[in-house]
Amino acid sequence: MSPGGYAEAGAARGARGFAASASEHPGARAVDSGDAGGREHAGGEDRDHPSVVPQPGGPSGYGVATAPGWGSTAAAAPTLAEDSTGWSAGGDPGADSGAAQPPHGAADDGSASRHDPAGAAAGRYDPPAPQGDGAKTCVACRAGRVDTDGYCEHCGHAQPRERDHLEEELGSVAAVSDRGLRHHRNEDSFAVAATALPDGSAATVAIVCDGVSSASRPDEASAAAAAAANEALLEALPRGAHPQEAMHEAILAAAAAVNALAPEVSGAQNAPACTLVGAVVSGGLLTIGWVGDSRAYWVPDDRAALPRRLTEDDSWAAQMVAAGLMGEAEAYADVRAHAITGWLGADAYELEPHTASFKPDHDGVVVVCTDGLWNYAESARDMAQVLPEDAAARPLHSAQVLVGHALDGGGHDNVTVAVVPFTAPPNPESNPARDPGAGAQAEPQAEADPRTQA
């Protein structure tokens, strides 16, 4: 099932249990019905733009999707080649980790404002000035005082929470999170950061988490996971850890942070839970990690080139398709399609952090988002059409536009997106001779990945 190298195990697991309903399968978790709002399943993305799902490559443990087809107009999916700087996971990357001390606090601490419910795609709410005594003024009537419970003493209007709308821009990366139009609170979280590698080059980090609405305290789960993953990456990358190894360990740290929120009661049910997707751009390498159904997309600056979805959902529908039990159109039309089969939480069926590294040969941007966005732009082509063409130069504006697109489409769920520009390293003319064995390794790797045969 698992992208990033666990296809065989996933297919076997799907064949054993996924013919039954999601409620009968111990590895499926139902999601809030609002998550599916606005989504139309017409056969799914993969009919036109197959997802790129790399497999482990050679003794280094992980493969890297290399240049062919990336950012160009080639129709073939990127082939896979062993990364000479790869790392060994030292065992099954899907194994659960030991407990770790979770960090505290939310990952998103930028200034907050509520998106205009009328749907202005790029606007941030301009709050009224505070009253003379320092008390907040109501955003609705703009006259009454806001009491300590968050309600206007004049009109009784509930005031926006800090997390209802958050925006943050840090250098070349930006993220926006919005409550949406149907939910009473924002259960998404994000973290964006930048750090330096040992060689002095920059690394950019983006983490996006989506709290599982059917679980308890989903907002706390997403905040803890985003903060933990971000802190783990900022600790590992500067000391020279391979980005894919660092991402793997960051997901385990996020899982430990969410696990720590569960009640210390034997057999406790409905523990806090969330999904996670993250991206690291460093040294010409794009590294993705995820658990759940939050996604990452690649959109080249050259819009004549093919965009790609870089992740594969941990969901009932994806499991059914991977196991060969249903066609994609049939699976995604099923009412159980959005039941997730992987998440972070103490009651997770099993933890399988998915990681993958890519080497695009052209400039572009990575869109890291929750299903509150991709429900309204599901395929890579749809996402590329919504994303402004100047996204690499204006990542915050682009994130605002994407969130506005989801709100204009109905805003059935919380919406969170990070936009991370990627600049491809120079491609020397001697590139074919740089690694004589690269071409020989790429073809077998591509054949091992059934998704590239679509």
Side-chain angles (χ1 to χ4, degrees):
M1 141 268 179
S2 307
Y6 303 99
E8 294 182 359
R13 190 177 70 177
R16 287 199 307 268
F18 281 89
S21 68
S23 61
E24 296 172 346
H25 190 272
R29 184 164 199 158
V31 294
D32 188 278
S33 59
D35 294 348
R39 181 176 183 181
E40 296 180 3
H41 302 290
E45 170 191 63
D46 296 329
R47 296 183 304 169
D48 301 319
H49 298 285
S51 303
V52 181
V53 184
Q55 302 281 5
S60 65
Y62 283 87
V64 177
T66 54
W70 275 71
S72 67
T73 56
T79 55
L80 305 174
E82 180 181 355
D83 179 19
S84 59
T85 61
W87 63 283
S88 174
D92 181 8
D96 291 342
S97 69
Q101 291 299 323
H104 57 83
D108 34 33
D109 56 2
S111 59
S113 57
R114 182 72 182 101
H115 193 286
D116 180 4
R124 291 186 63 180
Y125 183 78
D126 183 18
Q131 300 194 9
D133 58 1
K136 292 183 179 180
T137 302
C138 176
V139 301
C141 69
R142 291 183 173 263
R145 292 164 45 96
V146 178
D147 63 22
T148 56
D149 292 328
Y151 290 86
C152 176
E153 295 176 348
H154 175 67
C155 69
H157 188 90
Q159 304 302 294
R161 299 179 178 90
E162 182 181 5
R163 284 178 63 172
D164 280 357
H165 185 87
L166 291 167
E167 300 184 354
E168 186 171 352
E169 186 174 31
L170 182 65
S172 62
V173 60
V176 176
S177 183
D178 193 276
R179 186 188 70 187
L181 305 179
R182 303 293 181 89
H183 283 248
H184 71 284
R185 65 182 175 187
N186 189 357
E187 297 168 354
D188 291 354
S189 289
F190 69 81
V192 293
T195 189
L197 301 179
D199 62 2
S201 62
T204 304
V205 173
I207 302 292
V208 168
C209 296
D210 183 358
V212 177
S213 295
S214 59
S216 63
R217 299 152 62 197
D219 53 333
E220 297 180 38
S222 66
N230 183 57
E231 291 186 11
L233 287 168
L234 294 182
E235 188 278 330
L237 293 172
R239 60 177 170 80
H242 187 279
Q244 200 166 349
E245 176 188 14
M247 179 65 75
H248 177 86
E249 296 302 318
I251 295 176
L252 296 181
V258 177
N259 291 350
L261 298 176
E264 297 182 3
V265 178
S266 178
Q269 300 295 317
N270 206 31
C274 69
T275 68
L276 181 150
V277 62
V280 173
V281 171
S282 60
L285 191 67
L286 167 60
T287 301
I288 304 295
W290 73 98
V291 173
D293 63 352
S294 294
R295 294 181 176 180
Y297 293 84
W298 164 259
V299 180
D301 286 352
D302 178 6
R303 295 307 170 86
L306 291 175
R308 301 284 182 185
R309 175 156 64 94
L310 305 179
T311 56
E312 185 73 18
D313 298 344
D314 286 327
S315 69
W316 182 90
Q319 289 275 15
M320 296 299 287
V321 174
L325 300 177
M326 297 176 71
E328 189 168 348
E330 180 185 5
Y332 278 97
D334 195 283
V335 296
R336 298 164 290 184
H338 273 274
I340 58 174
T341 58
W343 63 88
L344 305 181
D347 62 349
Y349 179 58
E350 62 181 85
L351 177 59
E352 292 184 354
H354 313 304
T355 61
S357 289
F358 306 91
K359 290 183 177 179
D361 63 354
H362 280 59
D363 295 348
V365 297
V366 185
V367 176
V368 184
C369 65
T370 62
D371 61 346
L373 171 59
W374 67 253
N375 278 329
Y376 300 96
E378 183 172 355
S379 72
R381 177 179 294 176
D382 291 342
M383 190 66 70
Q385 290 176 343
V386 178
L387 186 72
E389 293 188 359
D390 61 352
R394 303 176 66 192
L396 178 59
H397 168 72
S398 299
Q400 292 168 337
V401 169
L402 292 174
V403 169
H405 174 75
L407 298 180
D408 291 343
H412 287 76
D413 198 1
N414 305 147
V415 189
T416 301
V417 58
V419 176
V420 190
F422 177 92
T423 301
N427 188 18
E429 295 179 358
S430 59
N431 188 51
R434 181 180 59 186
D435 184 359
Q441 293 176 2
E443 183 176 353
Q445 291 286 349
E447 290 177 352
D449 180 5
R451 304 290 295 187
T452 62
Q453 306 299 315

